[in-house]
Amino acid sequence: MSSSPSDSQTEILAPEECWKYLQASYIGRLAVINGAAPEIFPVNFVVVGETLVFRTAPGTKLRALLGGAAVAFEADGLNAYSTEVWSVVVKGTPGPFDGDPAVLKEADPDREPWQPGLKEHLVQVTPAEITGRRFAVSPRSRWWPPQDLSADWT
């Protein structure tokens, strides 16, 4: 990326575009608060209507989700030529999936958890906010070598 904000060509995505990217994706990262600490988990998911649905097993992730605190979810990707990237963030409330499980098969019949083991808990994230952005990938010569940003931390 360019080091100058004025050179940025970031495009803010409309919610409809965000949902299209999510529907075309299959893995993202779920951020939860576990006690006082943030935790991030990779999850494969499916879009049902305007909610995200995934399976999970008992453990840290499920305990954090059952607390009902807001979560954040991010998925991102790039085009086939690696010239453009996108990122979508969903902030919302987790809860048990309250829809018909048959809808999940219709949404994506081949979607199954990647990690082995029983994942009997269906969780949905109901969005309070969805945001996204897309931008062109700058040539490596524009961002390498890295700049010393240590002065920004003092």
Side-chain angles (χ1 to χ4, degrees):
M1 282 191 284
S2 171
S3 60
S4 169
S6 63
D7 290 345
S8 176
Q9 298 294 320
T10 300
E11 178 184 359
I12 303 302
L13 301 175
E16 300 79 31
E17 288 180 284
C18 293
W19 285 113
K20 285 181 184 177
Y21 278 123
L22 289 174
Q23 287 170 337
S25 190
Y26 56 89
I27 191 163
R29 289 162 303 286
L30 179 73
V32 301
I33 299 297
N34 179 29
E39 301 272 356
I40 299 176
F41 299 92
V43 294
N44 58 337
F45 67 98
V46 66
V47 174
V48 176
E50 288 192 349
T51 62
L52 304 174
V53 179
F54 60 92
R55 292 184 174 276
T56 191
T60 303
K61 182 183 351 165
L62 184 60
R63 279 191 307 275
L65 291 167
L66 290 174
V71 299
F73 176 89
E74 181 185 31
D76 44 40
L78 63 157
N79 68 359
Y81 303 105
S82 300
T83 57
E84 186 176 77
V85 297
W86 59 268
S87 174
V88 173
V89 174
V90 174
K91 296 175 185 174
T93 307
F97 177 62
D98 60 7
D100 180 358
V103 172
L104 299 176
K105 281 284 193 200
E106 293 171 18
D108 192 341
D110 298 323
R111 186 71 42 101
E112 293 192 17
W114 286 358
Q115 189 177 29
L118 188 59
K119 310 257 189 221
E120 70 272 19
H121 299 278
L122 279 172
V123 178
Q124 72 181 25
V125 175
T126 303
E129 178 183 359
I130 184 168
T131 58
R133 61 191 187 125
R134 176 176 48 218
F135 55 90
V137 175
S138 294
R140 180 180 165 105
S141 62
R142 298 277 313 265
W143 56 269
W144 193 262
Q147 297 179 10
D148 180 9
L149 301 176
S150 61
D152 293 342
W153 291 90
T154 57

